[in-house]
Amino acid sequence: MKQIIHLSHYFFKKDKKQILSFGFILLITSLILHLATVLALRIDPAYDRQSDELHSADIDIVLPKYTDSDELSDAVCGHSTVQQLEKQRAILQKAVMKDFRGTDFELNILFYNWDDSRSLHQLSCLERSEEAVTNPVYLPLYISEFGEYPLNEKITFSIDGREFTFTVAGVVQEMHYGNASAEIMGVFLPDEGYRHLAQEFPGSEVINYAVRTAEGADVQNVLADLRQTAEEHHSPVLFALTGEAKKQSRMMVTNLLTVILAAFAVIVLLVSIFLCQFRIKTSVAEEMVQMGVLKSLGFTSGGIIRAIVLPYTLTALLFSALGASVSYALLPYLVDVLALQAGFRFDVPFSPAAMILTVALLTGVTLVFTRLAAGKLRRLQPIAAIRGLTEGKDMKKNRFAIARTPGSVNGVLMLKQMAASSRQNVLLFAVLFVMTILIAFSGSLFYNVIIEPDHFMNTLSDESPDMILQVSSSDINSMKQIISTLDGAKNVLSYSVLQVQVEKENAAAFVCEDFSKTRNDCCYEGRNPSSGREIAIGSALAERLGCGIGDEVAVTCSGTSRSYRVVGLVQSINNRGEICELTEEGFSALSGGEKLHTLYVYLKNSADADEFIDQTEAICGENIVSAVNAAKKQSEAQYMYTSIVNVVIVAVFTVTVLIVLLILYVILRSMIIQRRQEFGVFKAIGYSGRQLVWQAAGSLMPVTIAAALSSALLGLMYLPAVYNVIFGMIGAMKNHMEQPVGVLLLFAAAEIVVTLLISILLARPIKKIEAYSLIKE
């Protein structure tokens, strides 16, 4: 064993720089993989732990207060799987938050009474004003931080054309309606403010049925039973959410980022394996004579293999542990971004399981592949090795003979050099091909999030006009005519989001006069409805109801039920697929001729939305109840995703440059060592150091160009599949992400240029080697 350790020490000293290069790549791999592992292992339990501490309910059902009764409560409590029921009063209003991060943000708001006692959905007060404030309000973390409403700041809610201003007295954390992904949020008013708002909007009070179910109960089935119970007691369900559905919507970005980081780590790990195998095989070829001598002296093949493998295994163990440790320095910044989207703060403590898993995986993979790479030593014959020969490979074909190959001598020498380095070419091609996958992915993200952000946002959101108008006029058609003739208007549609029931399942109904004129087509199978008897239903509804295109479903609104034929399936991440689409004609027949009072306005230039709103209010005056700059709202929502994507793009390019640098260092160093005598001859016959540098760097270019271009162009096929998997995890059956050839080729060209510059830089040591010493050595 002592001899093996001494031999390992020799191999490490000889290949120290190459082994350390491999270690740095493993450090990067470990850092990324450990971040993904910690997110996967820690954040989900952190959410569950916070939910348990605040005694969150498993089901929430919002009912009008006037329909609530003791009989309904008893019926709910009598359900076999209901363990606890708590009724919480609130005021439900569609409100516009003024100056929400510089724009107006419209959302369904549940105004709760802060002074009501709670045993379920308890609140954790994160910050509280030490000053006495007028008209106090307690905001959830998401509104306070993302909307930029700090303590003692004013916040104005516009409700039905009337404005109510409060002062932020505290910031609370709760796991109920804590972020905007569920399209409904909770805000908390002291008793006096709550009673005042209830008086201003009589009949708007609701009761939230917070329900805890028995362990192991099927929450979806329980919710369906409770909906039926409410209907039997003539109580319409306004909103209904399960705890799991809220969790999925709040953890959406976290889950996406975890998947991307894990895929990133796997790709870098593949590069590490390529490098490890290349280095060991090259080392065996370079040390062939020494290997033969060692075998002749009595060292077994297994002993030599263990001596070669040991430095790489120890390096993997050390650097993977170091990378996992370094990741904790970056984790707090990542967690802050994710906590903002999720709407709750959480700490990510040290995870022994993630550390052990990361280190064990990387060390184990290194051990396996280094042993496989060194396995050829078992077939090595000592005499042949001492003579410098291996089976059948003592003579190499003279490819690109100078006398017979057309072209300049320098160009032919580059080709000869490339052909003589098959192992380096295979490694370089494999590494650059894999790294170009990352480059292509980041380039595609850059295009779809930064250059054409509508592609990304339309995948995650629903219809996105430039302006949303709530109008009071009964003659909505005349309002449309007036607005459509204003300067800057491109299109005006009657479009509303209302609550209906599809086969007794609550759903958000997107009602539009003509879906072919909308900007964001959410239909992923079939088509949008175009007549009064057609409907498109969401993915979750289709799955729960077990129906598809061509089936008939019953839709209920305000006590009236009507049958519709399903013509398409649509998606909505914000509504978790619990949606449907109806034409204006179809909804009018269901609602007894009720007119829509919401207009979606599309402008020629979205940046002019504020000016257009002023113009509209000046002309239409009292007929405008509220006007929301939806374009600015969309851009502010995009800010969160853009910041994450920018980090991903910068990280990908940084990691790519580092890995290419380390790989080229190993390849060019091996090339210089193997061909020292040849370079000496070239210098002796008159070639300058600069020419030899360009020959060495240029010999890598054909492989570099082939790998980068082929991988980038193949991105037209594999990137759609990648996006389908990523967005499919959060319920987006259809995505609008594009893969423009120009952008992919541009990023590939950037990679080729960077590779060339790094190659020239790393080949410069050739200039310093004297011809005499090269030939002599």
Side-chain angles (χ1 to χ4, degrees), residues 394-647:
D394 51 308
M395 295 294 291
K396 290 187 178 181
K397 185 176 180 180
N398 182 21
R399 301 184 183 277
F400 302 106
I402 296 178
R404 297 191 299 270
T405 305
S408 66
V409 174
N410 288 334
V412 174
L413 287 173
M414 284 185 189
L415 294 176
K416 286 178 67 68
Q417 200 164 304
M418 181 192 72
S421 307
S422 58
R423 190 179 293 117
Q424 289 95 322
N425 292 335
V426 170
L427 171 68
L428 186 61
F429 184 89
V431 169
L432 290 179
F433 188 92
V434 171
M435 296 310 296
T436 305
I437 293 176
L438 289 177
I439 293 290
F441 178 72
S442 61
S444 177
L445 271 183
F446 178 81
Y447 176 79
N448 287 286
V449 179
I450 309 300
I451 298 178
E452 294 289 345
D454 288 346
H455 296 166
F456 183 72
M457 295 306 297
N458 285 344
T459 299
L460 298 180
S461 61
D462 304 317
E463 180 59 16
S464 51
D466 297 313
M467 191 172 79
I468 300 176
L469 292 178
Q470 294 284 345
V471 299
S472 59
S473 172
S474 58
D475 188 3
I476 191 135
N477 288 327
S478 64
M479 288 289 296
K480 284 169 56 180
Q481 288 291 335
I482 294 172
I483 295 171
S484 61
T485 58
L486 296 179
D487 186 33
K490 184 177 180 182
N491 193 17
V492 183
L493 292 176
S494 295
Y495 196 113
S496 292
V497 182
L498 308 162
Q499 289 294 314
V500 299
Q501 284 188 329
V502 180
E503 294 290 345
K504 300 181 180 179
E505 296 279 349
N506 274 25
F510 296 172
V511 182
C512 180
E513 62 178 275
D514 188 350
F515 285 100
S516 66
K517 296 180 180 179
T518 58
R519 178 178 289 169
N520 185 18
D521 184 7
C522 298
C523 184
Y524 65 89
E525 186 175 335
R527 60 178 177 83
N528 302 110
S530 58
S531 71
R533 278 290 184 178
E534 293 179 343
I535 188 174
I537 62 174
S539 52
L541 284 181
E543 183 178 348
R544 281 210 295 270
L545 299 176
C547 64
I549 295 174
D551 294 335
E552 297 281 332
V553 294
V555 181
T556 305
C557 180
S558 303
T560 303
S561 186
R562 195 167 183 257
S563 179
Y564 297 83
R565 184 170 65 89
V566 178
V567 296
L569 302 179
V570 291
Q571 69 182 27
S572 173
I573 296 176
N574 290 334
N575 293 278
R576 303 161 305 285
E578 298 172 352
I579 64 167
C580 66
E581 288 183 346
L582 291 169
T583 63
E584 190 173 15
E585 176 189 354
F587 178 76
S588 179
L590 183 66
S591 61
E594 179 183 342
K595 295 289 187 181
L596 302 181
H597 290 276
T598 305
L599 295 178
Y600 277 21
V601 182
Y602 304 84
L603 305 178
K604 296 175 182 176
N605 187 352
S606 299
D608 298 334
D610 282 332
E611 296 178 7
F612 194 89
I613 288 175
D614 294 338
Q615 184 183 2
T616 303
E617 289 178 338
I619 294 175
C620 299
E622 59 186 20
N623 288 322
I624 304 296
V625 176
S626 69
V628 174
N629 185 341
K632 192 169 185 180
K633 173 184 171 182
Q634 184 87 337
S635 66
E636 292 300 333
Q638 181 192 339
Y639 166 80
M640 180 190 305
Y641 303 108
T642 301
S643 59
I644 294 176
V645 169
N646 286 337
V647 171

Side-chain angles (χ1 to χ4, degrees), residues 209-241:
Y209 272 45
V211 177
R212 291 291 294 269
T213 60
E215 187 175 352
D218 189 324
V219 180
Q220 286 292 349
N221 289 339
V222 177
L223 177 57
D225 291 344
L226 296 184
R227 279 173 166 164
Q228 184 174 355
T229 301
E231 183 179 343
E232 290 170 354
H233 287 77
H234 309 291
S235 182
V237 176
L238 303 177
F239 282 98
L241 282 173

Side-chain angles (χ1 to χ4, degrees), residues 345-363:
R345 287 178 185 167
F346 51 88
D347 295 321
V348 180
F350 174 75
S351 173
M355 175 70 78
I356 293 171
L357 183 62
T358 302
V359 174
L361 176 62
L362 296 182
T363 306

Side-chain angles (χ1 to χ4, degrees), residues 112 241 674 700 770:
Y112 284 97
L241 282 173
Q674 290 174 350
L700 304 177
E770 295 180 0

